[in-house]
Amino acid sequence: MSEDKIYTKFAPNAEKNLVIEVDGEKYERFPVRLPVIMDGDDIYTIIKDAVDGYATADDMIYVSEKIVAISQGRAFKVDEIKVSKLANFLQKYVTKTDVGIGLGSPQTMELAIRELGRVRILFAAAVAAITKPLGIKGAFYVICGPKARAIDGPCHYTIPPFNNYAKLAPKDPDKVARKLKEHLGVKEAVIIDANDIGQNILGKSNRKLNNKTLAAVFKDNPLGQSKEQTPCAIVRKIK
């Protein structure tokens, strides 16, 4: 396949750039359109079918943690999540943003309690209550870790039917990344939680990869998971 066909097949999303520079290196990010991923779907085969003939052994594959979690059955209809009194109480104190609910709903807070345990959640909430008035933000998520950051609920831009779902972080994301690397025959694979205000690396196929660099490659959030349906990307370093 000729080199230029990848540029026609995988054009950047609207108002997003194809190329980004990180630490003096330039990378191309080719967003890959996929069908809507559902519980039980084989994402390894689905992604392979989408990138076959375009991704090379020198490329990386970035995959949104959301579709990994959904395929693992870790997304739940919000009206089927039984919310505890503790979740109802704690969610009131979560700062909400335009890019995601996070733990700012009773259902997502309930998932966090189930995933991380009441003791850890209560400790994190107590520390946050002390540090936030002092101008120190984010203590809750520092204590709870990336599993808490990756929990999210329905947003207006989420593609149906998941505009009525809340989801946990994916299970064993490093293992998923390693399997993706092997299945796709690419250099590395990354499971990322990215939005317009931040990026977190949840899984990677090689533990030696630098999380800060991996996140910086996606600092402008080039993926699109609403009408774009591009929850993964081929990432190619420009030589």
Side-chain angles (χ1 to χ4, degrees):
M1 180 172 294
S2 63
E3 179 73 14
D4 61 344
K5 285 190 176 181
I6 193 171
Y7 296 97
T8 303
K9 177 70 173 179
F10 304 118
N13 286 315
E15 301 181 4
K16 301 293 183 178
N17 295 318
L18 176 66
V19 179
I20 193 169
E21 184 172 340
V22 178
D23 298 330
E25 302 277 4
K26 290 185 177 180
Y27 300 84
E28 293 172 313
R29 294 86 45 84
F30 299 96
V32 178
R33 186 176 177 86
L34 298 179
V36 177
I37 302 299
M38 303 298 290
D39 180 9
D41 281 351
D42 180 355
I43 62 168
Y44 306 101
T45 299
I46 291 171
I47 295 174
K48 182 176 176 61
D49 288 345
V51 304
D52 195 33
Y54 297 94
T56 73
D58 292 326
D59 293 335
M60 294 191 294
I61 292 289
Y62 274 60
V63 178
S64 165
E65 53 81 28
K66 181 174 291 185
I67 66 166
V68 178
I70 289 170
S71 73
Q72 294 173 334
R74 292 171 65 79
F76 311 91
K77 290 183 178 180
V78 291
D79 58 5
E80 295 179 358
I81 300 172
K82 186 176 180 180
V83 177
S84 63
K85 292 181 179 179
L86 178 61
N88 262 319
F89 173 74
L90 292 178
Q91 62 88 21
K92 299 175 184 178
Y93 299 95
V94 176
T95 300
K96 301 171 180 64
T97 71
D98 293 333
V99 298
I101 291 176
L103 301 185
S105 79
Q107 293 82 9
T108 54
M109 183 61 76
E110 178 62 30
L111 291 183
I113 293 169
R114 296 180 189 180
E115 183 81 345
L116 300 168
R118 294 171 64 91
V119 172
R120 188 170 178 181
I121 292 291
L122 284 169
F123 176 68
V127 172
I130 295 170
T131 57
K132 193 171 183 179
L134 301 175
I136 302 172
K137 298 181 180 180
F140 181 91
Y141 287 105
V142 170
I143 294 170
C144 289
K147 283 186 177 181
R149 290 182 182 274
I151 294 172
D152 207 357
C155 302
H156 67 278
Y157 53 79
T158 303
I159 193 167
F162 297 104
N163 54 339
N164 291 309
Y165 277 65
K167 64 151 196 70
L168 292 165
K171 185 178 180 180
D172 299 326
D174 285 334
K175 183 178 179 180
V176 173
R178 290 192 297 269
K179 187 173 179 179
L180 277 168
K181 173 183 176 178
E182 179 181 354
H183 201 74
L184 303 178
V186 292
K187 186 175 182 179
E188 303 292 355
V190 177
I191 310 300
I192 190 169
D193 177 18
N195 55 44
D196 290 337
I197 62 173
Q199 306 78 37
N200 292 292
I201 304 302
L202 299 188
K204 54 188 178 181
S205 54
N206 183 345
R207 68 173 63 182
K208 294 181 180 180
L209 295 173
N210 183 283
N211 282 8
K212 185 177 179 181
T213 300
L214 293 176
V217 172
F218 264 44
K219 67 181 179 182
D220 57 342
N221 191 24
L223 296 181
Q225 299 191 64
S226 54
K227 62 182 180 180
E228 302 92 347
Q229 286 184 228
T230 53
C232 79
I234 299 169
V235 176
R236 179 171 297 173
K237 182 184 287 189
I238 299 175
K239 298 180 180 179

